[in-house]
Amino acid sequence: MKIYQIDSSARKKGSTSRALAKKLLDKIKKPEDEVVYRDLDDEMLFVSGLTESGMKIPESERTEQHKKMFELSDKLVLELKESDVIIISVPIYNFGPPATLKAWSDLAARVKETFKYNEDGSRVGLLQDKQVYLVITSGGTKINSKEDFLTPWLIHVLNFFGIKKIDIIAADQMALDYEKSIKEAEEQINKIS
Ligand SMILES: Cc1cc2nc3c(=O)[nH]c(=O)nc-3n(C[C@H](O)[C@H](O)[C@H](O)COP(=O)(O)O)c2cc1C
């Protein structure tokens, strides 16, 4: 089994989402599993300089900036396609995702790679049969409350890629009662087999 772990907190030292994702990884990983790790805080690019409505600049017209963007996009798509289990750790930033996770989704959404259009114009996700664990942390925002735009957005994007098996481990509202939030998240991890 290939486990793909993606961390997105802008904080490396002392990050709760990273620590919980590591705990989850240790819980589910079997000795024969391979782990591919990606830290979105180390390397990310924003989609920019496009010349058409989508991500389709002919190779001959690509600038150095485009080449770098497509190179990273190709890498991210491949990592996703090759994975069986995906762990995404993410804090809520200003009621949504960190900018790096939004940028990741823009680079990962590639037609004929992670989604496609049917002849009738409907969309279908191409990343079927993958299990995703979302490790979500927040200070004061309650997960799935009306000010949480991260969770519904991320689930929607993953569904768009064809991913339906999504489990959430939440350490939300840590600013209110840190110990309680962590304890509940750890209990959720312990229940995963
Ligand atoms: C830029 C920024 C924006 C934040 N916005 C929110 C927010 O909208 N709601 C919230 O509950 N917490 C917010 N927080 C707090 C983080 O979600 C919280 O500290 C999180 O658990 C940090 O995760 P980490 O320990 O993995 O870095 C924000 C933190 C930062 C740095």
Side-chain angles (χ1 to χ4, degrees), residues 9 11 14-18 91-95 137-141 174:
S9 170
R11 181 161 68 140
S15 159
T16 307
S17 59
R18 287 170 185 268
I92 294 179
Y93 281 179
N94 293 310
F95 316 107
T137 60
S138 81
T141 301
M174 291 194 298

Side-chain angles (χ1 to χ4, degrees), residues 106-123:
D106 291 339
L107 293 176
R110 294 279 297 278
V111 71
K112 294 192 187 136
E113 299 284 351
T114 46
F115 73 99
K116 68 170 186 175
Y117 292 104
N118 292 323
E119 275 176 17
D120 66 359
S122 59
R123 286 183 322 227

Side-chain angles (χ1 to χ4, degrees), residues 15-150:
S15 159
T16 307
S17 59
R18 287 170 185 268
L20 288 170
K22 173 79 175 57
K23 261 198 180 124
L24 172 61
L25 177 68
D26 292 344
K27 178 81 180 26
I28 61 171
K29 188 187 171 308
K30 306 220 162 35
E32 65 274 19
D33 290 342
E34 186 190 337
V35 179
V36 175
Y37 179 68
R38 182 157 285 276
D39 189 338
L40 301 188
D41 195 54
D42 281 343
E43 184 189 15
M44 190 39 64
L45 291 170
F46 294 103
V47 166
S48 76
L50 296 180
T51 51
E52 299 205 30
S53 63
M55 291 273 288
K56 32 179 192 197
I57 303 168
E59 300 242 359
S60 58
E61 290 171 29
R62 288 182 191 176
T63 62
E64 281 311 305
Q65 182 199 5
H66 293 139
K67 282 182 195 159
K68 279 191 194 138
M69 185 174 80
F70 278 96
E71 213 174 87
L72 180 57
S73 172
D74 289 348
K75 241 194 280 180
L76 296 174
V77 166
L78 190 70
E79 286 169 359
L80 274 173
K81 282 163 89 169
E82 288 185 339
S83 63
D84 302 297
V85 174
I86 304 164
I87 299 172
I88 302 175
S89 80
V90 51
I92 294 179
Y93 281 179
N94 293 310
F95 316 107
T100 50
L101 189 71
K102 177 60 173 70
W104 168 84
S105 73
D106 291 339
L107 293 176
R110 294 279 297 278
V111 71
K112 294 192 187 136
E113 299 284 351
T114 46
F115 73 99
K116 68 170 186 175
Y117 292 104
N118 292 323
E119 275 176 17
D120 66 359
S122 59
R123 286 183 322 227
V124 54
L126 298 176
L127 301 179
Q128 312 275 345
D129 300 324
K130 297 184 193 297
Q131 165 73 53
V132 170
Y133 295 102
L134 301 180
V135 178
I136 299 176
T137 60
S138 81
T141 301
K142 188 163 176 49
I143 193 168
N144 283 324
S145 67
K146 65 177 192 309
E147 68 168 33
D148 170 18
F149 294 88
L150 165 69

